[in-house]
C-alpha cells in the first residue's frame, strides 16, 4: 500500500538511546533537557530566533491569536488545512476569506485590501505546500492598516525566502511537526515570533505560569513533552538526506508528467523550497476522480489536499472565491516520501497517464 506520505522512522535503538536521557533525569515534560536541545538544534539549523516547541501545530495558531489580542475579523485563506480556519473561530474571531492566486495557491495579496473593514485585526495566511506568500506585500498592507500578521507555516520546515528562514516573517509563524509532515515529533509543532511577543507567548503556552506560585495571566497547556522531543532529535540528523531523496522524486515526477495537460505548483521567486508536497491540478473534478479511483485500485492513496475550500465549512459564511472553489476540486497530492521506490513511482506515473 502506498499512501500520500510515510512517516520517517529512525532505528528504534536511536530513539531509545535519546529517550534514556529522559529516564535518567526522571523528567518527562515541563521543558526538560530534550525539548531544550531540540529547540537549540532547530534554531541553529533553520536560522531563526525565538522558537517555542509546542505539542502540536494547531495550539500555536490559537495562542498567537490570543497573544496578539486579536478580535473581530481576521483575513485568511480558504485554501489550507482546516486548522487555519478553525483556530480563528475557536478563538472567537470571524474569518474573512480572500481568494488565492491561481499559480502560487497562496492568498492573493492584491485582493486583501478590498476585504479590510473597521473590524479587521489581522491577516492569517498559509504558506501552502511550503510555497511562501507574498510576504513583502502583506507586510506593507499590514503596516498601512495597522494589522497583525500570522503565518501558518505548518508545511515550511527548511524553507527559505530571500536567504532567510520563512519562519522569520510575520509577527508570529507556526509550524507543525505532525507525523505526516516533513520533519516530525509524532505530534508536535513550534511557534516563532518577534521578540516583543516572546514572553507573553511563552507564558501562554504553560498555563500562564511565572514560577510555581505566580501567574502572568491566562494560559493553556501547549508544552512539548520529552518523548516527543526525543523523536525529533532522532529524526533530525536525517533531514538532509530526507530532503535530498524527496528532491529526486519531485524531479522524476516533474520530468515524467511535464508533457501532460496538468497544472503544477509554481514556487515563488527567491525561494528555496522543501519538496514537502507534490500537488497536480487536473482539468476538471471528473478527471481527478477517475485518476484517484484508478490509483486506489492499485492500492495507491493520494490525498485531496486541500478539499473542500474552507469557506464552505458549516461554521463560517460562504464567500465567492472562484479560484479556491475551482482548484480545491481539481487538486490532488501525489505520494511523496523519503523511500518511495522507483517502481512505485513508475506505477503512479503510468496510472495517471493511462487515465487522463
Ligand atoms: C498539519 C497542519 C496544521 C495542524 O498541525 P497539527 O500539528 O496537526 O496540529 C495546521 N495548518 C496546516 C496548513 C497544516 O497542514
Amino acid at each position: 500500500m502506498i499512501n500520500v506520505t510515510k512517516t520517517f522512522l529512525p532505528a528504534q535503538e536511536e530513539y531509545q538511546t535519546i529517550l534514556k536521557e529522559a529516564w535518567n533525569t526522571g523528567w518527562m515534560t515541563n521543558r526538560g533537557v530534550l525539548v531544550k536541545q531540540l529547540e537549540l538544534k532547530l534554531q541553529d539549523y533553520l536560522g531563526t530566533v525565538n522558537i517555542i516547541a509546542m505539542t502540536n501545530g494547531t495550539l500555536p495558531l490559537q495562542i498567537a491569536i490570543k497573544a496578539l489580542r486579536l478580535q473581530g475579523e481576521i483575513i485568511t485563506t480558504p485554501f489550507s488545512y482546516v486548522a487555519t480556519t478553525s483556530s480563528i473561530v475557536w478563538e472567537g474571531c470571524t474569518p474573512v476569506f480572500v481568494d488565492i492566486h491561481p499559480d502560487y495557491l497562496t492568498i492573493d495579496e492584491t485582493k486583501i485590501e478590498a476585504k479590510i473593514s473597521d473590524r479587521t485585526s489581522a491577516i492569517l495566511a498559509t504558506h501552502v505546500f511550503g510555497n511562501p506568500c507574498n510576504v513583502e506585500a502583506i507586510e506593507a498592507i499590514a503596516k498601512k492598516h495597522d494589522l497583525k500578521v500570522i503565518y501558518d507555516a505548518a508545511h515550511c520546515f527548511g524553507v527559505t525566502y530571500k536567504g532567510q528562514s520563512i519562519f522569520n516573517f510575520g509577527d508570529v509563524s507556526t509550524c507543525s511537526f505532525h507525523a505526516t509532515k516533513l520533519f516530525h515529533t509524532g505530534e508536535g509543532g513550534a511557534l516563532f515570533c518577534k521578540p516583543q511577543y516572546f514572553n507573553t507567548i511563552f507564558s501562554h503556552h504553560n498555563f500562564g505560569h511565572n514560577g510555581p506560585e505566580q501567574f502572568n495571566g491566562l494560559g493553556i497547556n501547549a508544552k512539548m513533552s520529552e518523548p516527543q522531543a526525543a523523536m525529533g532529535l532522532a529524526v533530525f540528523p536525517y533531514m538532509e538526506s530526507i530532503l535530498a531523496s524527496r528532491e529526486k522524486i519531485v524531479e522524476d515526477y516533474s520530468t515524467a508528467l511535464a508533457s501532460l495537460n496538468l497544472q503544477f505548483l509554481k514556487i515563488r521567486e527567491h525561494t528555496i523550497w522543501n519538496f514537502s508536497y507534490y500537488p497536480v491540478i487536473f482539468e476538471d473534478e471528473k478527471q481527478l476522480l477517475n485518476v484517484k479511483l484508478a490509483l486506489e485500485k492499485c492500492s495507491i492513496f493520494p490525498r485531496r489536499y486541500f478539499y473542500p475550500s474552507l469557506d464552505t465549512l458549516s461554521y463560517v459564511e460562504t464567500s465567492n472565491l472562484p479560484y479556491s472553489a475551482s482548484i480545491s476540486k481539481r487538486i490532488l497530492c501525489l505520494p511523496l516520501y523519503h523511500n518511495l521506490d522507483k517502481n512505485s513511482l513508475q506505477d503512479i506515473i503510468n496510472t495517471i497517464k493511462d487515465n487522463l
Side-chain angles (χ1 to χ4, degrees):
M1 189 166 97
I2 298 171
N3 282 318
V4 66
T5 190
K6 190 162 101 184
T7 302
F8 174 85
L9 289 175
Q12 206 179 334
E13 306 76 63
E14 292 172 19
Y15 174 60
Q16 279 164 347
T17 304
I18 297 169
L19 200 56
K20 196 155 186 300
E21 288 183 50
W23 248 256
N24 292 342
T25 60
W27 196 269
M28 280 295 132
T29 186
N30 287 356
R31 297 188 52 82
V33 286
L34 299 181
V35 165
K36 286 178 187 159
Q37 258 182 51
L38 182 65
E39 284 180 345
L40 289 177
K41 281 203 175 172
L42 293 180
Q43 224 163 243
D44 185 48
Y45 176 80
L46 299 167
T48 59
V49 286
N50 302 314
I51 183 177
I52 306 173
M54 295 202 192
T55 195
N56 61 46
T58 302
L59 279 162
L61 289 170
Q62 292 175 221
I63 289 174
I65 293 169
K66 257 314 182 253
L68 299 174
R69 300 174 189 278
L70 304 185
Q71 289 185 325
E73 297 172 356
I74 299 180
I75 301 235
T76 191
T77 176
F79 189 71
S80 182
Y81 184 60
V82 69
T84 316
T85 298
S86 65
S87 299
I88 294 173
V89 177
W90 196 269
E91 292 302 326
C93 297
T94 307
V96 173
F97 295 101
V98 168
D99 207 357
I100 54 170
H101 189 283
D103 301 322
Y104 297 119
L105 309 185
T106 48
I107 196 166
D108 185 343
E109 66 280 355
T110 65
K111 294 180 179 155
I112 291 177
E113 281 195 286
K115 297 275 183 101
I116 293 175
S117 78
D118 307 344
R119 302 190 63 229
T120 310
S121 59
I123 300 166
L124 197 179
T126 302
H127 301 307
V128 185
F129 307 131
N131 196 24
C133 297
N134 186 338
V135 289
E136 285 111 347
I138 290 173
E139 190 178 336
I141 295 166
K143 221 175 206 162
K144 182 170 158 199
H145 297 273
D146 194 22
L147 306 176
K148 300 288 196 284
V149 179
I150 301 171
Y151 287 114
D152 181 340
H155 305 164
C156 291
F157 189 93
V159 171
T160 67
Y161 176 71
K162 294 198 173 164
Q164 64 165 315
S165 172
I166 196 68
F167 298 133
N168 291 345
F169 294 87
D171 294 293
V172 175
S173 279
T174 65
C175 190
S176 168
F177 303 155
H178 185 259
T180 55
K181 302 297 203 294
L182 186 57
F183 169 77
H184 80 97
T185 58
E187 289 272 3
L191 179 149
F192 305 84
C193 64
K194 294 239 169 86
Q196 63 264 41
Y197 302 118
F198 185 83
N199 288 340
T200 306
I201 290 175
F202 189 88
S203 150
H204 275 351
H205 104 295
N206 184 23
F207 301 103
H209 268 295
N210 177 17
E213 296 175 4
Q214 277 193 350
F215 294 92
N216 265 340
L218 188 65
I220 197 166
N221 181 8
K223 298 186 304 291
M224 179 181 275
S225 71
E226 292 292 273
Q228 288 176 293
M231 179 59 87
L233 288 165
V235 171
F236 181 79
Y238 295 96
M239 285 318 295
E240 285 301 318
S241 90
I242 291 170
L243 284 165
S245 43
R246 295 176 75 112
E247 178 171 16
K248 179 78 183 57
I249 295 163
V250 164
E251 272 173 22
D252 289 349
Y253 268 137
S254 301
T255 310
L257 301 175
S259 61
L260 304 180
N261 195 13
L262 294 169
Q263 187 196 323
F264 303 95
L265 177 64
K266 183 176 178 194
I267 302 296
R268 194 171 297 279
E269 302 70 15
H270 312 295
T271 300
I272 295 180
W273 188 48
N274 62 358
F275 317 100
S276 46
Y277 294 85
Y278 197 81
V280 292
I281 304 174
F282 294 92
E283 267 190 332
D284 53 37
E285 190 175 22
K286 187 164 163 284
Q287 198 181 48
L288 175 146
L289 293 172
N290 277 342
V291 169
K292 184 167 174 272
L293 189 67
L295 288 167
E296 284 168 356
K297 280 188 184 147
C298 308
S299 297
I300 298 164
F301 299 94
R303 279 288 295 266
R304 297 184 74 178
Y305 292 143
F306 288 104
Y307 174 82
S309 184
L310 296 173
D311 61 303
T312 64
L313 289 166
S314 64
Y315 50 82
V316 302
E317 277 189 41
T318 330
S319 314
N320 177 26
L321 309 164
Y323 285 123
S324 184
S326 164
I327 289 170
S328 63
K329 289 193 181 102
R330 296 185 286 122
I331 192 164
L332 191 65
C333 280
L334 302 181
L336 173 57
Y337 48 85
H338 58 283
N339 63 353
L340 180 66
D341 64 89
K342 280 230 170 246
N343 289 339
S344 306
L345 190 70
Q346 202 52 55
D347 288 345
I348 296 165
I349 290 162
N350 292 342
T351 309
I352 294 171
K353 285 185 173 167
D354 294 346
N355 287 278
L356 280 185

